[in-house]
Amino acid sequence: MIIRRMKAGTADLEEFLRVPYSGLQELETRVAYIAKEVKARGDEAVYEFTKRFDKADIGFHNFRVGGGEINEAYQAVGEEYTSALRAAIANIRAFHRRQLHNSWMEPDETGNILGMIYRPLDRVGIYVPGGTAAYPSSVLMNAIPAQVAGVREIVMVTPPAADGRVNPYTLVAAAELGVKEIYKMGGAQAVFALAWGTETVPKVDKITGPGNIYVTLAKKMVYGDVDIDMLAGPSEILIIADDKAEPAYVAADLMSQAEHDVLARSILVTDSEELADEVEREIGRQLPSLSRRDIIERSLQEQGAIIIVKDMKEACEVANRVAPEHLELMVEHPFEWLGYIKNAGAVFLGKYTPEPVGDYYAGPNHILPTGGTARFYSPVTVDTFLKKTSVLYYSETGLAKARQDIITLAEIEGLTAHANSVRIRREEGIE
């Protein structure tokens, strides 16, 4: 059996949903050591950790990506890639432009004015996974909303391959967006360099982008010195499917998520035992042809599940309990069930909207809350790169009208100086 099967409401399901991370204390100790070294030794520590973890000989001479490397990257990629990339950029930019806010101020009848000012952050760091893999989509999903928000400086960090080069597809994606400040570093050391600065890398205001557990723990450690987007865990997909779903599509979508990582979670929730049987057969049929089949198989065995429910309403209840990063509604009438979904990073409706549509192309951001945090957290958006300032102006008449209420509330809290700062203004002519 490649993937386990269980029923809703059973002890097995409860145990499956409670699976925690293990060994975090040891990992936190390692990350704390990296933090200490980067804070004390800056660039030198980053170079050493890059050589240790990425096997790349990085130093002052090649730490920052130069124009020649960008030109070489364009030579290495094909026109088909750049064409697809530009189409995706257009879609993602158009979607995020709809998220922009207008600053506002509004007066009332006494002449008081209240408002909100939206301003972009000055400088942000975007983390793009790298090494032997290419993740140009992560460049787009980090940089585009920051650009739409109006961020002035965007610095990209990504781990190099052992030969000291950055993946050409990743570099071309950055170049297409005009991101020019790019450093060859990854892992926890990159997060600390961005957060605290080094001799070469000026510190940033916020760090965004997905990474491994070391990156996540480092982001947790620097939060407060800088802002972060979220604490991301392994990727997840939950598919709600009825008896009309196409088993081959369901199986393919489960495996598309499982190939990320052996810790990735792929869950099917269905009211059809027959569909569950057919999906298992399809997994067995499709798996041998996939390049990351060993990772997929282990991920499905250790983290995957088929959950049998009595009806679609119970399926939605299970989904809300899981609060997955990606949720596919592969049912006959998906829009009828959308209102029942309360907790999900992104919802994909219908059999022609597989999760990769969102990963690469449609427009919504693919940096999404994981590990059940969709109960209270949201995807990366333009708001991620904006800060908000409240604006208050009270007229003499307005303060006179509110004076006693404010004094009463301040004195209830025992803050007599607060009350006095309002009371004393009566001496300025307020009656």
mmCIF file of all heavy atoms in Angstrom, residues 217-256:
data_model
loop_
_atom_site.group_PDB
_atom_site.id
_atom_site.type_symbol
_atom_site.label_atom_id
_atom_site.label_comp_id
_atom_site.label_asym_id
_atom_site.label_seq_id
_atom_site.Cartn_x
_atom_site.Cartn_y
_atom_site.Cartn_z
ATOM 1 N N LEU A 217 13.713 28.312 10.954
ATOM 2 C CA LEU A 217 14.156 28.570 12.321
ATOM 3 C C LEU A 217 14.929 29.882 12.412
ATOM 4 O O LEU A 217 14.810 30.621 13.406
ATOM 5 C CB LEU A 217 15.010 27.413 12.828
ATOM 6 C CG LEU A 217 14.266 26.096 13.067
ATOM 7 C CD1 LEU A 217 15.238 24.991 13.443
ATOM 8 C CD2 LEU A 217 13.196 26.250 14.148
ATOM 9 N N ALA A 218 15.714 30.188 11.390
ATOM 10 C CA ALA A 218 16.442 31.453 11.379
ATOM 11 C C ALA A 218 15.478 32.637 11.288
ATOM 12 O O ALA A 218 15.666 33.657 11.976
ATOM 13 C CB ALA A 218 17.429 31.484 10.216
ATOM 14 N N LYS A 219 14.458 32.516 10.455
ATOM 15 C CA LYS A 219 13.475 33.595 10.348
ATOM 16 C C LYS A 219 12.756 33.805 11.685
ATOM 17 O O LYS A 219 12.496 34.940 12.089
ATOM 18 C CB LYS A 219 12.464 33.279 9.236
ATOM 19 C CG LYS A 219 13.041 33.448 7.836
ATOM 20 C CD LYS A 219 12.162 32.834 6.759
ATOM 21 C CE LYS A 219 10.926 33.628 6.492
ATOM 22 N NZ LYS A 219 10.145 33.065 5.358
ATOM 23 N N LYS A 220 12.475 32.710 12.355
ATOM 24 C CA LYS A 220 11.846 32.816 13.678
ATOM 25 C C LYS A 220 12.751 33.559 14.650
ATOM 26 O O LYS A 220 12.299 34.371 15.459
ATOM 27 C CB LYS A 220 11.540 31.409 14.200
ATOM 28 C CG LYS A 220 10.828 31.379 15.543
ATOM 29 C CD LYS A 220 10.531 29.943 15.944
ATOM 30 C CE LYS A 220 9.796 29.889 17.286
ATOM 31 N NZ LYS A 220 9.526 28.488 17.688
ATOM 32 N N MET A 221 14.063 33.309 14.544
ATOM 33 C CA MET A 221 15.021 33.914 15.460
ATOM 34 C C MET A 221 15.182 35.413 15.224
ATOM 35 O O MET A 221 15.383 36.186 16.164
ATOM 36 C CB MET A 221 16.370 33.201 15.332
ATOM 37 C CG MET A 221 17.364 33.550 16.411
ATOM 38 S SD MET A 221 18.869 32.549 16.299
ATOM 39 C CE MET A 221 18.203 30.921 16.645
ATOM 40 N N VAL A 222 15.105 35.862 13.968
ATOM 41 C CA VAL A 222 15.337 37.281 13.678
ATOM 42 C C VAL A 222 14.066 38.110 13.730
ATOM 43 O O VAL A 222 14.131 39.345 13.658
ATOM 44 C CB VAL A 222 16.012 37.478 12.293
ATOM 45 C CG1 VAL A 222 17.345 36.755 12.248
ATOM 46 C CG2 VAL A 222 15.097 37.025 11.156
ATOM 47 N N TYR A 223 12.921 37.448 13.866
ATOM 48 C CA TYR A 223 11.667 38.203 13.909
ATOM 49 C C TYR A 223 11.680 39.149 15.117
ATOM 50 O O TYR A 223 11.941 38.753 16.239
ATOM 51 C CB TYR A 223 10.474 37.256 14.004
ATOM 52 C CG TYR A 223 9.151 37.971 14.122
ATOM 53 C CD1 TYR A 223 8.702 38.788 13.098
ATOM 54 C CD2 TYR A 223 8.372 37.867 15.262
ATOM 55 C CE1 TYR A 223 7.497 39.456 13.192
ATOM 56 C CE2 TYR A 223 7.162 38.532 15.375
ATOM 57 C CZ TYR A 223 6.725 39.330 14.331
ATOM 58 O OH TYR A 223 5.539 39.999 14.436
ATOM 59 N N GLY A 224 11.415 40.385 14.856
ATOM 60 C CA GLY A 224 11.528 41.419 15.881
ATOM 61 C C GLY A 224 12.655 42.374 15.535
ATOM 62 O O GLY A 224 12.523 43.594 15.691
ATOM 63 N N ASP A 225 13.781 41.842 15.048
ATOM 64 C CA ASP A 225 14.816 42.697 14.471
ATOM 65 C C ASP A 225 14.386 43.135 13.079
ATOM 66 O O ASP A 225 14.681 44.256 12.645
ATOM 67 C CB ASP A 225 16.148 41.952 14.386
ATOM 68 C CG ASP A 225 16.741 41.637 15.754
ATOM 69 O OD1 ASP A 225 16.460 42.384 16.707
ATOM 70 O OD2 ASP A 225 17.468 40.643 15.867
ATOM 71 N N VAL A 226 13.760 42.227 12.371
ATOM 72 C CA VAL A 226 13.141 42.522 11.081
ATOM 73 C C VAL A 226 11.776 41.843 11.076
ATOM 74 O O VAL A 226 11.483 41.007 11.931
ATOM 75 C CB VAL A 226 13.976 41.995 9.892
ATOM 76 C CG1 VAL A 226 15.309 42.706 9.800
ATOM 77 C CG2 VAL A 226 14.170 40.488 9.988
ATOM 78 N N ASP A 227 10.966 42.171 10.103
ATOM 79 C CA ASP A 227 9.706 41.457 9.919
ATOM 80 C C ASP A 227 9.960 40.264 8.998
ATOM 81 O O ASP A 227 10.957 40.215 8.263
ATOM 82 C CB ASP A 227 8.655 42.382 9.311
ATOM 83 C CG ASP A 227 7.246 41.826 9.426
ATOM 84 O OD1 ASP A 227 7.039 40.845 10.171
ATOM 85 O OD2 ASP A 227 6.341 42.371 8.755
ATOM 86 N N ILE A 228 9.064 39.295 9.040
ATOM 87 C CA ILE A 228 9.122 38.148 8.132
ATOM 88 C C ILE A 228 7.733 37.927 7.559
ATOM 89 O O ILE A 228 6.744 38.454 8.069
ATOM 90 C CB ILE A 228 9.609 36.867 8.851
ATOM 91 C CG1 ILE A 228 8.641 36.483 9.980
ATOM 92 C CG2 ILE A 228 11.027 37.048 9.384
ATOM 93 C CD1 ILE A 228 8.932 35.126 10.617
ATOM 94 N N ASP A 229 7.678 37.136 6.481
ATOM 95 C CA ASP A 229 6.372 36.857 5.895
ATOM 96 C C ASP A 229 5.608 35.825 6.705
ATOM 97 O O ASP A 229 4.458 36.014 7.076
ATOM 98 C CB ASP A 229 6.509 36.400 4.440
ATOM 99 C CG ASP A 229 7.507 35.265 4.251
ATOM 100 O OD1 ASP A 229 8.226 34.904 5.200
ATOM 101 O OD2 ASP A 229 7.581 34.725 3.129
ATOM 102 N N MET A 230 6.249 34.694 7.021
ATOM 103 C CA MET A 230 5.598 33.624 7.772
ATOM 104 C C MET A 230 6.641 32.580 8.128
ATOM 105 O O MET A 230 7.765 32.602 7.608
ATOM 106 C CB MET A 230 4.469 32.982 6.953
ATOM 107 C CG MET A 230 4.940 32.268 5.702
ATOM 108 S SD MET A 230 3.597 31.619 4.678
ATOM 109 C CE MET A 230 2.931 33.121 3.954
ATOM 110 N N LEU A 231 6.257 31.663 9.013
ATOM 111 C CA LEU A 231 7.099 30.518 9.339
ATOM 112 C C LEU A 231 6.551 29.331 8.568
ATOM 113 O O LEU A 231 5.580 28.698 8.978
ATOM 114 C CB LEU A 231 7.091 30.253 10.849
ATOM 115 C CG LEU A 231 7.691 31.375 11.702
ATOM 116 C CD1 LEU A 231 7.495 31.077 13.187
ATOM 117 C CD2 LEU A 231 9.164 31.579 11.387
ATOM 118 N N ALA A 232 7.169 29.043 7.431
ATOM 119 C CA ALA A 232 6.635 28.021 6.533
ATOM 120 C C ALA A 232 7.181 26.639 6.890
ATOM 121 O O ALA A 232 8.346 26.491 7.252
ATOM 122 C CB ALA A 232 6.998 28.359 5.096
ATOM 123 N N GLY A 233 6.326 25.658 6.786
ATOM 124 C CA GLY A 233 6.722 24.271 6.978
ATOM 125 C C GLY A 233 6.655 23.519 5.663
ATOM 126 O O GLY A 233 6.554 24.127 4.589
ATOM 127 N N PRO A 234 6.685 22.182 5.711
ATOM 128 C CA PRO A 234 6.580 21.379 4.485
ATOM 129 C C PRO A 234 5.291 21.682 3.720
ATOM 130 O O PRO A 234 4.262 22.037 4.308
ATOM 131 C CB PRO A 234 6.592 19.941 5.010
ATOM 132 C CG PRO A 234 7.277 20.018 6.326
ATOM 133 C CD PRO A 234 6.883 21.350 6.903
ATOM 134 N N SER A 235 5.347 21.520 2.416
ATOM 135 C CA SER A 235 4.209 21.824 1.556
ATOM 136 C C SER A 235 3.067 20.832 1.768
ATOM 137 O O SER A 235 3.282 19.701 2.205
ATOM 138 C CB SER A 235 4.654 21.808 0.099
ATOM 139 O OG SER A 235 3.727 22.484 -0.708
ATOM 140 N N GLU A 236 1.845 21.270 1.427
ATOM 141 C CA GLU A 236 0.652 20.455 1.676
ATOM 142 C C GLU A 236 -0.360 20.609 0.545
ATOM 143 O O GLU A 236 -0.476 21.687 -0.043
ATOM 144 C CB GLU A 236 -0.062 20.908 2.963
ATOM 145 C CG GLU A 236 0.796 21.013 4.181
ATOM 146 C CD GLU A 236 0.224 21.983 5.212
ATOM 147 O OE1 GLU A 236 -0.655 22.798 4.846
ATOM 148 O OE2 GLU A 236 0.665 21.919 6.363
ATOM 149 N N ILE A 237 -1.085 19.530 0.296
ATOM 150 C CA ILE A 237 -2.268 19.611 -0.551
ATOM 151 C C ILE A 237 -3.350 18.735 0.049
ATOM 152 O O ILE A 237 -3.074 17.652 0.593
ATOM 153 C CB ILE A 237 -1.977 19.179 -2.003
ATOM 154 C CG1 ILE A 237 -3.162 19.535 -2.917
ATOM 155 C CG2 ILE A 237 -1.652 17.701 -2.101
ATOM 156 C CD1 ILE A 237 -2.866 19.375 -4.395
ATOM 157 N N LEU A 238 -4.570 19.226 0.020
ATOM 158 C CA LEU A 238 -5.738 18.432 0.402
ATOM 159 C C LEU A 238 -6.731 18.529 -0.747
ATOM 160 O O LEU A 238 -7.060 19.629 -1.192
ATOM 161 C CB LEU A 238 -6.351 18.924 1.705
ATOM 162 C CG LEU A 238 -7.515 18.081 2.263
ATOM 163 C CD1 LEU A 238 -7.512 18.083 3.792
ATOM 164 C CD2 LEU A 238 -8.873 18.572 1.746
ATOM 165 N N ILE A 239 -7.162 17.375 -1.252
ATOM 166 C CA ILE A 239 -8.112 17.326 -2.360
ATOM 167 C C ILE A 239 -9.429 16.752 -1.856
ATOM 168 O O ILE A 239 -9.465 15.648 -1.309
ATOM 169 C CB ILE A 239 -7.582 16.443 -3.509
ATOM 170 C CG1 ILE A 239 -6.245 16.978 -4.020
ATOM 171 C CG2 ILE A 239 -8.601 16.378 -4.646
ATOM 172 C CD1 ILE A 239 -5.578 16.071 -5.040
ATOM 173 N N ILE A 240 -10.492 17.515 -2.022
ATOM 174 C CA ILE A 240 -11.841 17.007 -1.769
ATOM 175 C C ILE A 240 -12.395 16.533 -3.109
ATOM 176 O O ILE A 240 -12.481 17.307 -4.066
ATOM 177 C CB ILE A 240 -12.741 18.091 -1.164
ATOM 178 C CG1 ILE A 240 -12.234 18.503 0.229
ATOM 179 C CG2 ILE A 240 -14.185 17.606 -1.081
ATOM 180 C CD1 ILE A 240 -13.034 19.631 0.867
ATOM 181 N N ALA A 241 -12.741 15.265 -3.177
ATOM 182 C CA ALA A 241 -13.198 14.693 -4.444
ATOM 183 C C ALA A 241 -14.453 13.870 -4.230
ATOM 184 O O ALA A 241 -14.557 13.114 -3.257
ATOM 185 C CB ALA A 241 -12.095 13.827 -5.058
ATOM 186 N N ASP A 242 -15.403 13.999 -5.140
ATOM 187 C CA ASP A 242 -16.608 13.170 -5.079
ATOM 188 C C ASP A 242 -16.491 12.031 -6.100
ATOM 189 O O ASP A 242 -15.447 11.849 -6.737
ATOM 190 C CB ASP A 242 -17.866 14.016 -5.309
ATOM 191 C CG ASP A 242 -17.872 14.727 -6.659
ATOM 192 O OD1 ASP A 242 -17.081 14.330 -7.552
ATOM 193 O OD2 ASP A 242 -18.669 15.662 -6.835
ATOM 194 N N ASP A 243 -17.572 11.273 -6.260
ATOM 195 C CA ASP A 243 -17.499 10.107 -7.148
ATOM 196 C C ASP A 243 -17.447 10.481 -8.626
ATOM 197 O O ASP A 243 -17.277 9.617 -9.484
ATOM 198 C CB ASP A 243 -18.659 9.147 -6.866
ATOM 199 C CG ASP A 243 -20.025 9.793 -7.075
ATOM 200 O OD1 ASP A 243 -20.081 11.001 -7.429
ATOM 201 O OD2 ASP A 243 -21.039 9.111 -6.866
ATOM 202 N N LYS A 244 -17.603 11.758 -8.938
ATOM 203 C CA LYS A 244 -17.496 12.206 -10.330
ATOM 204 C C LYS A 244 -16.071 12.617 -10.697
ATOM 205 O O LYS A 244 -15.785 12.941 -11.845
ATOM 206 C CB LYS A 244 -18.435 13.399 -10.565
ATOM 207 C CG LYS A 244 -19.911 13.119 -10.286
ATOM 208 C CD LYS A 244 -20.462 12.093 -11.260
ATOM 209 C CE LYS A 244 -21.987 12.044 -11.197
ATOM 210 N NZ LYS A 244 -22.513 11.705 -9.849
ATOM 211 N N ALA A 245 -15.175 12.651 -9.731
ATOM 212 C CA ALA A 245 -13.805 13.087 -9.985
ATOM 213 C C ALA A 245 -13.062 12.086 -10.872
ATOM 214 O O ALA A 245 -13.350 10.883 -10.843
ATOM 215 C CB ALA A 245 -13.071 13.272 -8.663
ATOM 216 N N GLU A 246 -12.116 12.575 -11.607
ATOM 217 C CA GLU A 246 -11.289 11.737 -12.470
ATOM 218 C C GLU A 246 -10.122 11.189 -11.645
ATOM 219 O O GLU A 246 -9.258 11.958 -11.217
ATOM 220 C CB GLU A 246 -10.786 12.561 -13.648
ATOM 221 C CG GLU A 246 -9.769 11.871 -14.531
ATOM 222 C CD GLU A 246 -10.236 10.532 -15.041
ATOM 223 O OE1 GLU A 246 -11.292 10.499 -15.718
ATOM 224 O OE2 GLU A 246 -9.553 9.518 -14.755
ATOM 225 N N PRO A 247 -10.059 9.880 -11.408
ATOM 226 C CA PRO A 247 -9.003 9.318 -10.546
ATOM 227 C C PRO A 247 -7.588 9.664 -11.010
ATOM 228 O O PRO A 247 -6.711 9.908 -10.179
ATOM 229 C CB PRO A 247 -9.254 7.809 -10.613
ATOM 230 C CG PRO A 247 -10.697 7.672 -10.986
ATOM 231 C CD PRO A 247 -10.998 8.834 -11.861
ATOM 232 N N ALA A 248 -7.365 9.695 -12.308
ATOM 233 C CA ALA A 248 -6.024 9.998 -12.813
ATOM 234 C C ALA A 248 -5.606 11.414 -12.441
ATOM 235 O O ALA A 248 -4.433 11.657 -12.106
ATOM 236 C CB ALA A 248 -5.986 9.825 -14.335
ATOM 237 N N TYR A 249 -6.557 12.355 -12.487
ATOM 238 C CA TYR A 249 -6.244 13.736 -12.117
ATOM 239 C C TYR A 249 -5.926 13.826 -10.628
ATOM 240 O O TYR A 249 -4.983 14.504 -10.214
ATOM 241 C CB TYR A 249 -7.413 14.662 -12.440
ATOM 242 C CG TYR A 249 -7.796 14.780 -13.898
ATOM 243 C CD1 TYR A 249 -8.916 15.509 -14.275
ATOM 244 C CD2 TYR A 249 -7.043 14.178 -14.899
ATOM 245 C CE1 TYR A 249 -9.284 15.640 -15.607
ATOM 246 C CE2 TYR A 249 -7.405 14.292 -16.237
ATOM 247 C CZ TYR A 249 -8.523 15.027 -16.586
ATOM 248 O OH TYR A 249 -8.876 15.136 -17.912
ATOM 249 N N VAL A 250 -6.741 13.169 -9.812
ATOM 250 C CA VAL A 250 -6.536 13.215 -8.358
ATOM 251 C C VAL A 250 -5.167 12.646 -7.997
ATOM 252 O O VAL A 250 -4.407 13.241 -7.226
ATOM 253 C CB VAL A 250 -7.646 12.447 -7.629
ATOM 254 C CG1 VAL A 250 -7.374 12.413 -6.120
ATOM 255 C CG2 VAL A 250 -9.017 13.079 -7.899
ATOM 256 N N ALA A 251 -4.842 11.486 -8.558
ATOM 257 C CA ALA A 251 -3.554 10.855 -8.269
ATOM 258 C C ALA A 251 -2.401 11.756 -8.700
ATOM 259 O O ALA A 251 -1.417 11.928 -7.965
ATOM 260 C CB ALA A 251 -3.465 9.505 -8.985
ATOM 261 N N ALA A 252 -2.500 12.333 -9.882
ATOM 262 C CA ALA A 252 -1.435 13.203 -10.383
ATOM 263 C C ALA A 252 -1.233 14.407 -9.479
ATOM 264 O O ALA A 252 -0.092 14.815 -9.205
ATOM 265 C CB ALA A 252 -1.762 13.655 -11.803
ATOM 266 N N ASP A 253 -2.331 14.982 -8.988
ATOM 267 C CA ASP A 253 -2.226 16.172 -8.154
ATOM 268 C C ASP A 253 -1.655 15.845 -6.775
ATOM 269 O O ASP A 253 -0.892 16.638 -6.204
ATOM 270 C CB ASP A 253 -3.592 16.845 -8.028
ATOM 271 C CG ASP A 253 -4.067 17.434 -9.360
ATOM 272 O OD1 ASP A 253 -3.324 17.311 -10.358
ATOM 273 O OD2 ASP A 253 -5.179 17.989 -9.392
ATOM 274 N N LEU A 254 -2.021 14.695 -6.232
ATOM 275 C CA LEU A 254 -1.434 14.275 -4.953
ATOM 276 C C LEU A 254 0.080 14.132 -5.093
ATOM 277 O O LEU A 254 0.855 14.587 -4.235
ATOM 278 C CB LEU A 254 -2.039 12.950 -4.489
ATOM 279 C CG LEU A 254 -3.487 12.980 -4.017
ATOM 280 C CD1 LEU A 254 -4.005 11.558 -3.817
ATOM 281 C CD2 LEU A 254 -3.636 13.777 -2.721
ATOM 282 N N MET A 255 0.510 13.530 -6.181
ATOM 283 C CA MET A 255 1.942 13.299 -6.363
ATOM 284 C C MET A 255 2.701 14.570 -6.722
ATOM 285 O O MET A 255 3.888 14.699 -6.415
ATOM 286 C CB MET A 255 2.162 12.211 -7.412
ATOM 287 C CG MET A 255 1.722 10.828 -6.934
ATOM 288 S SD MET A 255 2.175 9.477 -8.058
ATOM 289 C CE MET A 255 1.052 9.801 -9.414
ATOM 290 N N SER A 256 2.020 15.524 -7.345
ATOM 291 C CA SER A 256 2.695 16.779 -7.677
ATOM 292 C C SER A 256 3.124 17.507 -6.415
ATOM 293 O O SER A 256 4.130 18.236 -6.414
ATOM 294 C CB SER A 256 1.779 17.680 -8.516
ATOM 295 O OG SER A 256 0.759 18.268 -7.731
#
